[in-house]
Amino acid sequence: MAQPEQFAQGLSIGIIMDGNGRWAKKRGLPRTAGHKKGAEVFQDITRYCNEIGVESVYFYAFSTENWSRPAEEVGAIMRLFGEYLIKAFDYEKENNRVVFLGDRTALEPRYQKLMDEIEQKTAHNTGMTLNVAVNYGGRAEIVRAARALAEKVAKGELRPEDIDEAAMCSEMYTHGQKDPDFILRPSGEKRLSNFMLWQAAYSELVEMDVLWPDFTRHDLDLAIEEFNRRTRRFGGI
Ligand code: FPP
């Protein structure tokens, strides 16, 4: 059988970390216990992606819609996010470039500061790009890009006829990065849930019947194998 490194090289993968709440409920635990285990899996899968030569990975950690959850749960997710920002990564050793997607201005100032520092510190790392979407929404990202281009037009820096797909891409949080080859959604759901709407135009969707806290390295191998079996036509025949 082919080794994971042989079929994962250069891939770009989006991951919707779903099923933390159901995982906890099945065990009679608070939902926050599911997020805690989910965060551990996030770290392990990040390391594995790096080891097998994935080019970039996009994790959906917190959406613009997730604020509507009970304050206690939002607080727990944010604390976990902060905790993993501070101590769980060894960015230097792993050579990852870290990029955060989303509107960070709604987050606590100390997290914003840390996010800026991590991005700056890892900007020249040459390994995998680890993208973490926090307070992220695909529609909000497209609106933000449209507004940025409109401002350039208003200032006379850009003509309306120069607005094309490349101009839009240049205003996305992901500018300069490859679109996801596939988007993986564990937990059996088959929705994008406002994740990378612009970038997912030709992404394959791979859904798996495993809750995120139970997700293993082997599950990622299976997802990559599934993607490699698909034939991508990009609108051609
Ligand atoms: C979706 O499961 C998961 C989330 C909304 C939060 C994901 C957050 C983490 C894994 C931890 C913090 C992030 C990092 C990057 C360390 P759900 O709660 O919607 O599950 P359910 O559908 O079973 O209720």
Side-chain angles (χ1 to χ4, degrees):
M1 202 186 118
Q3 292 302 304
E5 307 86 68
Q6 289 171 263
F7 58 78
Q9 207 70 38
L11 278 183
S12 177
I13 307 175
I15 302 182
I16 301 178
M17 301 187 279
D18 195 17
N20 295 352
R22 276 164 285 168
W23 181 91
K25 195 171 171 207
K26 264 175 48 183
R27 287 164 176 75
L29 297 170
R31 292 177 59 82
T32 49
H35 296 314
K36 188 164 183 292
K37 180 71 172 42
E40 288 167 17
V41 174
F42 155 81
Q43 188 181 28
D44 187 54
I45 294 298
T46 298
R47 292 217 165 104
Y48 187 52
C49 285
N50 203 23
E51 282 168 27
I52 61 177
V54 168
E55 178 178 314
S56 53
V57 62
Y58 300 93
F59 283 100
Y60 204 6
F62 194 84
S63 75
T64 45
E65 290 73 34
N66 286 150
W67 296 107
S68 64
R69 294 186 178 211
E72 188 203 333
E73 183 173 344
V74 172
I77 295 174
M78 287 300 163
R79 275 193 300 280
L80 275 168
F81 173 63
E83 193 185 307
Y84 277 73
L85 276 180
I86 294 162
K87 60 182 172 132
F89 289 95
D90 191 344
Y91 305 107
E92 292 313 309
K93 196 172 89 214
E94 292 178 14
N95 198 22
N96 288 334
R97 184 167 77 100
V98 183
V99 176
F100 295 101
L101 320 177
D103 177 11
R104 69 188 71 179
T105 61
L107 306 182
E108 281 185 35
R110 63 192 166 116
Y111 292 159
Q112 291 183 44
K113 188 165 168 278
L114 217 46
M115 290 158 85
D116 292 344
E117 280 170 15
I118 291 169
E119 280 183 340
Q120 281 162 23
K121 201 167 159 216
T122 64
H124 302 292
N125 285 353
T126 52
M128 181 180 83
T129 304
L130 165 62
N131 294 270
V132 185
V134 187
N135 192 25
Y136 172 87
R139 286 186 174 180
E141 181 182 30
I142 294 169
V143 168
R144 177 179 172 271
R147 192 174 290 153
L149 293 178
E151 277 167 11
K152 285 186 182 164
V153 171
K155 283 190 208 149
E157 293 167 10
L158 188 73
R159 293 174 307 169
E161 57 270 35
D162 292 331
I163 296 179
D164 54 12
E165 291 189 14
M168 285 290 284
C169 284
S170 70
E171 299 295 345
M172 296 287 163
Y173 292 118
T174 52
H175 60 89
Q177 295 196 63
K178 199 173 146 194
D179 288 341
D181 291 303
F182 71 92
I183 294 186
L184 166 66
R185 182 158 194 164
S187 94
E189 307 285 350
K190 298 178 176 64
R191 285 185 299 278
L192 272 182
S193 296
N194 206 11
F195 189 48
M196 304 193 82
L197 298 183
W198 174 269
Q199 299 85 344
Y202 287 103
S203 305
E204 293 289 328
L205 300 180
V206 176
E207 103 267 350
M208 291 181 82
D209 219 356
V210 50
L211 302 174
W212 177 251
D214 287 327
F215 194 86
T216 62
R217 293 177 170 216
H218 178 62
D219 290 319
L220 188 69
D221 291 346
L222 294 177
I224 295 172
E225 280 173 19
E226 164 68 22
F227 165 73
N228 283 330
R229 276 194 292 272
R230 308 260 180 104
T231 312
R232 302 173 81 194
R233 292 190 292 277
F234 297 98
I237 52 170

